[in-house]
Amino acid sequence: MSVQSVERALDVLEALADHGGEAGLSEIAARTGLPYGTIHRLLRTLLTRGYVRQESDRRYALGGGLVRLGGIAESMVGVWAQPYLTKMVELSGETANLAVLEGDFIVYVAQVPSPRRLRMFAEVGRRVLPHSTAVGKVLLAGRPAPEAVAVFERTGMPRRTPNTITDMPAMLAELGTVKSRGYAMDLGEEELGVHCMAVPVVDGERVVAAMSVSGPAERIDALDREDLAERMRKIASDFGNELRPTG
């Protein structure tokens, strides 16, 4: 049995998250369908606990109290992902990674290395910009286009290699391709000689993470791309089902 006040408080937090972490009262009301008085009462409690803060312009934002919870939850998701990443290594022979979007950055939260002597590493905890990575493309392809544009405008899409996409129309076209075919490629765009394929992890309707395999370009290119993508999507789907809220 659900507790209505808890559900409503979570609705408010999710509304703030859906608006990029900050929203006005009217935006929260439009997203949740809750009366203004109910939202005010919930916000007062969330403000007291540090899960929400009020800005100088009277808008509300996610608060620092969520950082500790988020860090612990992120580490647990990394633990849960290990058996699925192991399956991807067995499937491809290459290093498998799990990444999430934090603000404007991609953060690698889990990894299972390839058993091969020559293998790729993306250190857990490493933060990279999204435009030059397959995981970044997958994560932003799962967001509304204006949100992706806002991220790229803030980060600037710097050139990492001669292969990096740095033009906004070209990047938006790339995201459209990623969304339609269900996977993204990094063809030496972050690091020359390294190729990567990534697929989305969906916990219902939202893309919450990306799973990838990465390795030397010649080995990745030798794999059957469509077959690999299909099998990776199945593994990512199984993992997403584990993350899916119940009830």
Side-chain angles (χ1 to χ4, degrees):
M1 182 178 65
S2 63
V3 178
Q4 188 181 62
S5 59
V6 174
E7 284 192 340
R8 288 178 169 179
L10 293 174
D11 286 342
V12 169
L13 291 175
E14 290 180 354
L16 289 169
D18 289 344
H19 282 86
E22 180 180 316
L25 192 63
S26 61
E27 292 168 317
I28 297 172
R31 172 65 174 78
T32 62
L34 295 173
Y36 278 49
T38 299
I39 296 171
H40 270 299
R41 289 193 295 274
L42 293 168
L43 286 170
R44 279 201 300 270
T45 300
L46 292 169
L47 283 163
T48 301
R49 298 297 295 268
Y51 296 135
V52 168
R53 69 175 189 270
Q54 189 166 26
E55 306 288 45
S56 57
D57 59 1
R58 301 186 64 79
R59 290 169 64 81
Y60 295 92
L62 295 175
L66 294 169
V67 173
R68 183 179 65 86
L69 297 180
I72 294 171
E74 189 174 277
S75 67
M76 290 305 301
V77 169
V79 172
W80 298 336
Q82 291 296 309
Y84 300 95
L85 294 175
T86 297
K87 289 180 181 179
M88 287 198 176
V89 174
E90 294 169 350
L91 177 67
S92 65
E94 304 297 343
T95 297
N97 302 285
L98 177 73
V100 298
L101 183 66
E102 287 188 0
D104 294 340
F105 289 87
I106 301 301
V107 181
Y108 291 94
V109 296
Q111 180 181 95
V112 173
S114 166
R116 295 176 170 177
R117 182 174 298 178
L118 177 59
R119 56 193 179 187
M120 301 298 111
F121 284 100
E123 182 181 357
V124 172
R126 180 186 176 203
R127 296 164 63 87
V128 297
L129 292 176
H131 70 292
S132 56
T133 62
V135 288
K137 293 176 188 177
V138 160
L139 287 162
L140 285 181
R143 304 294 179 95
E147 187 175 331
V149 168
V151 170
F152 293 136
E153 287 179 341
R154 289 191 295 267
T155 62
M157 293 195 296
R159 186 174 298 281
R160 296 284 297 160
T161 77
N163 300 329
T164 307
I165 299 173
T166 60
D167 176 75
M168 185 72 78
M171 178 55 70
L172 293 178
E174 175 81 350
L175 295 186
T177 299
V178 169
K179 190 169 185 177
S180 64
R181 73 186 179 191
Y183 68 88
M185 297 297 301
D186 161 13
L187 301 175
E189 297 158 54
E190 173 68 16
E191 184 177 348
L192 286 175
V194 177
H195 285 189
C196 179
M197 174 184 282
V199 296
V201 176
V202 182
D203 73 344
E205 297 181 354
R206 303 175 304 159
V207 176
V208 295
M211 303 181 87
S212 70
V213 295
S214 59
E218 62 275 12
R219 294 207 310 240
I220 295 292
D221 292 347
L223 298 169
D224 183 323
R225 185 178 294 183
E226 295 301 325
D227 180 66
L228 176 61
E230 182 178 354
R231 295 182 183 215
M232 286 176 62
R233 283 196 296 267
K234 175 61 169 64
I235 295 170
S237 176
D238 290 343
F239 180 49
N241 287 337
E242 183 174 337
L243 299 178
R244 186 179 303 205
T246 59

PDB file of all heavy atoms in Angstrom, residues 67-84:
ATOM      1  N   VAL A  67      22.640  14.837  -2.373  1.00  0.00           N
ATOM      2  CA  VAL A  67      23.955  14.413  -2.852  1.00  0.00           C
ATOM      3  C   VAL A  67      24.394  13.112  -2.196  1.00  0.00           C
ATOM      4  O   VAL A  67      24.858  12.174  -2.854  1.00  0.00           O
ATOM      5  CB  VAL A  67      25.002  15.523  -2.617  1.00  0.00           C
ATOM      6  CG1 VAL A  67      26.402  15.023  -2.953  1.00  0.00           C
ATOM      7  CG2 VAL A  67      24.659  16.750  -3.452  1.00  0.00           C
ATOM      8  N   ARG A  68      24.251  13.049  -0.866  1.00  0.00           N
ATOM      9  CA  ARG A  68      24.661  11.828  -0.158  1.00  0.00           C
ATOM     10  C   ARG A  68      23.847  10.632  -0.620  1.00  0.00           C
ATOM     11  O   ARG A  68      24.384   9.553  -0.886  1.00  0.00           O
ATOM     12  CB  ARG A  68      24.495  12.014   1.351  1.00  0.00           C
ATOM     13  CG  ARG A  68      24.960  10.803   2.172  1.00  0.00           C
ATOM     14  CD  ARG A  68      24.788  11.062   3.662  1.00  0.00           C
ATOM     15  NE  ARG A  68      23.388  11.212   4.025  1.00  0.00           N
ATOM     16  CZ  ARG A  68      22.595  10.167   4.324  1.00  0.00           C
ATOM     17  NH1 ARG A  68      23.064   8.935   4.286  1.00  0.00           N
ATOM     18  NH2 ARG A  68      21.337  10.372   4.666  1.00  0.00           N
ATOM     19  N   LEU A  69      22.528  10.828  -0.733  1.00  0.00           N
ATOM     20  CA  LEU A  69      21.675   9.730  -1.195  1.00  0.00           C
ATOM     21  C   LEU A  69      22.041   9.325  -2.612  1.00  0.00           C
ATOM     22  O   LEU A  69      22.098   8.129  -2.931  1.00  0.00           O
ATOM     23  CB  LEU A  69      20.204  10.149  -1.145  1.00  0.00           C
ATOM     24  CG  LEU A  69      19.620  10.485   0.233  1.00  0.00           C
ATOM     25  CD1 LEU A  69      18.159  10.870   0.089  1.00  0.00           C
ATOM     26  CD2 LEU A  69      19.768   9.314   1.185  1.00  0.00           C
ATOM     27  N   GLY A  70      22.285  10.321  -3.470  1.00  0.00           N
ATOM     28  CA  GLY A  70      22.616  10.020  -4.857  1.00  0.00           C
ATOM     29  C   GLY A  70      23.919   9.269  -4.991  1.00  0.00           C
ATOM     30  O   GLY A  70      24.040   8.348  -5.800  1.00  0.00           O
ATOM     31  N   GLY A  71      24.916   9.656  -4.198  1.00  0.00           N
ATOM     32  CA  GLY A  71      26.206   8.976  -4.273  1.00  0.00           C
ATOM     33  C   GLY A  71      26.104   7.517  -3.863  1.00  0.00           C
ATOM     34  O   GLY A  71      26.688   6.630  -4.504  1.00  0.00           O
ATOM     35  N   ILE A  72      25.346   7.262  -2.794  1.00  0.00           N
ATOM     36  CA  ILE A  72      25.179   5.884  -2.339  1.00  0.00           C
ATOM     37  C   ILE A  72      24.382   5.083  -3.368  1.00  0.00           C
ATOM     38  O   ILE A  72      24.733   3.949  -3.708  1.00  0.00           O
ATOM     39  CB  ILE A  72      24.479   5.858  -0.970  1.00  0.00           C
ATOM     40  CG1 ILE A  72      25.381   6.499   0.092  1.00  0.00           C
ATOM     41  CG2 ILE A  72      24.118   4.435  -0.569  1.00  0.00           C
ATOM     42  CD1 ILE A  72      24.705   6.726   1.423  1.00  0.00           C
ATOM     43  N   ALA A  73      23.316   5.677  -3.892  1.00  0.00           N
ATOM     44  CA  ALA A  73      22.491   4.978  -4.888  1.00  0.00           C
ATOM     45  C   ALA A  73      23.301   4.675  -6.137  1.00  0.00           C
ATOM     46  O   ALA A  73      23.191   3.590  -6.721  1.00  0.00           O
ATOM     47  CB  ALA A  73      21.267   5.823  -5.240  1.00  0.00           C
ATOM     48  N   GLU A  74      24.130   5.621  -6.553  1.00  0.00           N
ATOM     49  CA  GLU A  74      24.946   5.430  -7.751  1.00  0.00           C
ATOM     50  C   GLU A  74      25.913   4.264  -7.580  1.00  0.00           C
ATOM     51  O   GLU A  74      26.097   3.446  -8.484  1.00  0.00           O
ATOM     52  CB  GLU A  74      25.711   6.712  -8.050  1.00  0.00           C
ATOM     53  CG  GLU A  74      26.424   6.728  -9.382  1.00  0.00           C
ATOM     54  CD  GLU A  74      27.033   8.078  -9.667  1.00  0.00           C
ATOM     55  OE1 GLU A  74      26.302   8.954 -10.154  1.00  0.00           O
ATOM     56  OE2 GLU A  74      28.239   8.262  -9.376  1.00  0.00           O
ATOM     57  N   SER A  75      26.535   4.183  -6.402  1.00  0.00           N
ATOM     58  CA  SER A  75      27.463   3.077  -6.158  1.00  0.00           C
ATOM     59  C   SER A  75      26.736   1.745  -6.142  1.00  0.00           C
ATOM     60  O   SER A  75      27.261   0.727  -6.621  1.00  0.00           O
ATOM     61  CB  SER A  75      28.216   3.294  -4.831  1.00  0.00           C
ATOM     62  OG  SER A  75      27.332   3.217  -3.723  1.00  0.00           O
ATOM     63  N   MET A  76      25.503   1.722  -5.629  1.00  0.00           N
ATOM     64  CA  MET A  76      24.740   0.481  -5.614  1.00  0.00           C
ATOM     65  C   MET A  76      24.339   0.067  -7.021  1.00  0.00           C
ATOM     66  O   MET A  76      24.380  -1.117  -7.369  1.00  0.00           O
ATOM     67  CB  MET A  76      23.489   0.645  -4.746  1.00  0.00           C
ATOM     68  CG  MET A  76      23.785   0.759  -3.259  1.00  0.00           C
ATOM     69  SD  MET A  76      24.761  -0.637  -2.623  1.00  0.00           S
ATOM     70  CE  MET A  76      23.694  -2.017  -3.017  1.00  0.00           C
ATOM     71  N   VAL A  77      23.977   1.028  -7.859  1.00  0.00           N
ATOM     72  CA  VAL A  77      23.637   0.710  -9.250  1.00  0.00           C
ATOM     73  C   VAL A  77      24.849   0.100  -9.945  1.00  0.00           C
ATOM     74  O   VAL A  77      24.719  -0.848 -10.727  1.00  0.00           O
ATOM     75  CB  VAL A  77      23.155   1.972  -9.992  1.00  0.00           C
ATOM     76  CG1 VAL A  77      23.054   1.710 -11.489  1.00  0.00           C
ATOM     77  CG2 VAL A  77      21.806   2.420  -9.461  1.00  0.00           C
ATOM     78  N   GLY A  78      26.034   0.624  -9.635  1.00  0.00           N
ATOM     79  CA  GLY A  78      27.246   0.057 -10.203  1.00  0.00           C
ATOM     80  C   GLY A  78      27.448  -1.393  -9.811  1.00  0.00           C
ATOM     81  O   GLY A  78      27.873  -2.227 -10.629  1.00  0.00           O
ATOM     82  N   VAL A  79      27.121  -1.721  -8.564  1.00  0.00           N
ATOM     83  CA  VAL A  79      27.230  -3.113  -8.095  1.00  0.00           C
ATOM     84  C   VAL A  79      26.215  -3.990  -8.818  1.00  0.00           C
ATOM     85  O   VAL A  79      26.539  -5.087  -9.290  1.00  0.00           O
ATOM     86  CB  VAL A  79      27.006  -3.180  -6.562  1.00  0.00           C
ATOM     87  CG1 VAL A  79      26.912  -4.626  -6.102  1.00  0.00           C
ATOM     88  CG2 VAL A  79      28.139  -2.466  -5.833  1.00  0.00           C
ATOM     89  N   TRP A  80      24.987  -3.504  -8.938  1.00  0.00           N
ATOM     90  CA  TRP A  80      23.937  -4.288  -9.610  1.00  0.00           C
ATOM     91  C   TRP A  80      24.279  -4.527 -11.071  1.00  0.00           C
ATOM     92  O   TRP A  80      23.863  -5.530 -11.660  1.00  0.00           O
ATOM     93  CB  TRP A  80      22.596  -3.553  -9.521  1.00  0.00           C
ATOM     94  CG  TRP A  80      22.095  -3.343  -8.130  1.00  0.00           C
ATOM     95  CD1 TRP A  80      22.411  -4.069  -7.015  1.00  0.00           C
ATOM     96  CD2 TRP A  80      21.197  -2.322  -7.691  1.00  0.00           C
ATOM     97  NE1 TRP A  80      21.764  -3.562  -5.920  1.00  0.00           N
ATOM     98  CE2 TRP A  80      21.012  -2.494  -6.299  1.00  0.00           C
ATOM     99  CE3 TRP A  80      20.534  -1.285  -8.333  1.00  0.00           C
ATOM    100  CZ2 TRP A  80      20.186  -1.664  -5.550  1.00  0.00           C
ATOM    101  CZ3 TRP A  80      19.711  -0.449  -7.589  1.00  0.00           C
ATOM    102  CH2 TRP A  80      19.541  -0.651  -6.208  1.00  0.00           C
ATOM    103  N   ALA A  81      25.013  -3.594 -11.676  1.00  0.00           N
ATOM    104  CA  ALA A  81      25.314  -3.694 -13.109  1.00  0.00           C
ATOM    105  C   ALA A  81      26.380  -4.730 -13.433  1.00  0.00           C
ATOM    106  O   ALA A  81      26.487  -5.154 -14.592  1.00  0.00           O
ATOM    107  CB  ALA A  81      25.773  -2.328 -13.628  1.00  0.00           C
ATOM    108  N   GLN A  82      27.171  -5.145 -12.445  1.00  0.00           N
ATOM    109  CA  GLN A  82      28.325  -5.993 -12.727  1.00  0.00           C
ATOM    110  C   GLN A  82      27.986  -7.254 -13.536  1.00  0.00           C
ATOM    111  O   GLN A  82      28.657  -7.542 -14.536  1.00  0.00           O
ATOM    112  CB  GLN A  82      29.031  -6.363 -11.422  1.00  0.00           C
ATOM    113  CG  GLN A  82      29.743  -5.221 -10.730  1.00  0.00           C
ATOM    114  CD  GLN A  82      30.881  -4.641 -11.534  1.00  0.00           C
ATOM    115  OE1 GLN A  82      31.743  -5.364 -12.011  1.00  0.00           O
ATOM    116  NE2 GLN A  82      30.876  -3.328 -11.705  1.00  0.00           N
ATOM    117  N   PRO A  83      26.976  -8.049 -13.152  1.00  0.00           N
ATOM    118  CA  PRO A  83      26.711  -9.258 -13.940  1.00  0.00           C
ATOM    119  C   PRO A  83      26.284  -8.963 -15.372  1.00  0.00           C
ATOM    120  O   PRO A  83      26.580  -9.738 -16.282  1.00  0.00           O
ATOM    121  CB  PRO A  83      25.593  -9.965 -13.157  1.00  0.00           C
ATOM    122  CG  PRO A  83      25.014  -8.938 -12.259  1.00  0.00           C
ATOM    123  CD  PRO A  83      26.110  -7.975 -11.956  1.00  0.00           C
ATOM    124  N   TYR A  84      25.612  -7.837 -15.595  1.00  0.00           N
ATOM    125  CA  TYR A  84      25.188  -7.467 -16.948  1.00  0.00           C
ATOM    126  C   TYR A  84      26.383  -6.993 -17.777  1.00  0.00           C
ATOM    127  O   TYR A  84      26.490  -7.318 -18.969  1.00  0.00           O
ATOM    128  CB  TYR A  84      24.114  -6.391 -16.876  1.00  0.00           C
ATOM    129  CG  TYR A  84      22.886  -6.843 -16.130  1.00  0.00           C
ATOM    130  CD1 TYR A  84      22.718  -6.556 -14.773  1.00  0.00           C
ATOM    131  CD2 TYR A  84      21.894  -7.582 -16.761  1.00  0.00           C
ATOM    132  CE1 TYR A  84      21.591  -6.994 -14.073  1.00  0.00           C
ATOM    133  CE2 TYR A  84      20.763  -8.021 -16.076  1.00  0.00           C
ATOM    134  CZ  TYR A  84      20.629  -7.728 -14.728  1.00  0.00           C
ATOM    135  OH  TYR A  84      19.520  -8.169 -14.046  1.00  0.00           O
TER     136      TYR A  84
END
